[in-house]
Amino acid sequence: MHTSLPDFDMPNEEQVHLAAESFRLLADPTRIKVLWALLQGESSVACLAELAGAAPTAVSQHLAKLRLAGLVKGRREGTFVYYSAANEHVGRLLKQALFHADHIDGEPRAAAR
């Protein structure tokens, strides 16, 4: 039925898998907080831990997973690593997710940010 529609298009299997993996990795409140902070600018693990209200070791593990997924990148300066969002697409993805959360029932919710 759908294939008879003009301009009908489905993503390929690799696209579906990678998108699902990105959503899976974002399905954690600490990762969302960390990523949101990184959208504001480059930061260290210690600073991100404070902002997210989590232990530095936990934030470091979250960052490792986000880095492997291509959502964040790191820059080494001496013994420190500074993290940032990988690109502008990450920001758009997270902003849309938060916008959706504010409008789940179709009505804007009072922003708590």
Side-chain angles (χ1 to χ4, degrees):
M1 179 170 144
H2 288 90
T3 55
S4 66
L5 297 173
D7 300 325
F8 178 77
D9 187 28
M10 287 287 287
N12 66 44
E13 288 299 316
E14 182 180 10
Q15 289 172 313
V16 170
H17 175 73
L18 292 173
E21 183 66 13
S22 293
F23 283 128
R24 186 183 69 77
L25 285 169
L26 290 174
D28 180 281
T30 300
R31 289 185 193 143
I32 290 174
K33 289 176 188 177
V34 165
L35 202 49
W36 186 258
L38 291 176
L39 291 172
Q40 315 306 307
E42 189 177 66
S43 191
S44 68
V45 171
C47 184
L48 292 168
E50 184 179 324
L51 291 169
T57 53
V59 169
S60 184
Q61 291 174 357
H62 286 302
L63 285 165
K65 291 176 182 174
L66 292 170
R67 188 177 53 76
L68 286 172
L71 297 171
V72 302
K73 59 185 177 181
R75 177 182 65 81
R76 184 170 295 282
E77 189 173 298
T79 59
F80 291 95
V81 178
Y82 294 94
Y83 291 90
S84 60
N87 54 48
E88 70 278 355
H89 299 121
V90 174
R92 287 198 302 264
L93 178 64
L94 191 55
K95 287 174 186 175
Q96 283 296 313
L98 292 169
F99 180 84
H100 177 71
D102 281 344
H103 296 81
I104 287 177
D105 59 4
E107 296 294 322
R109 297 181 191 276
R113 290 179 219 122

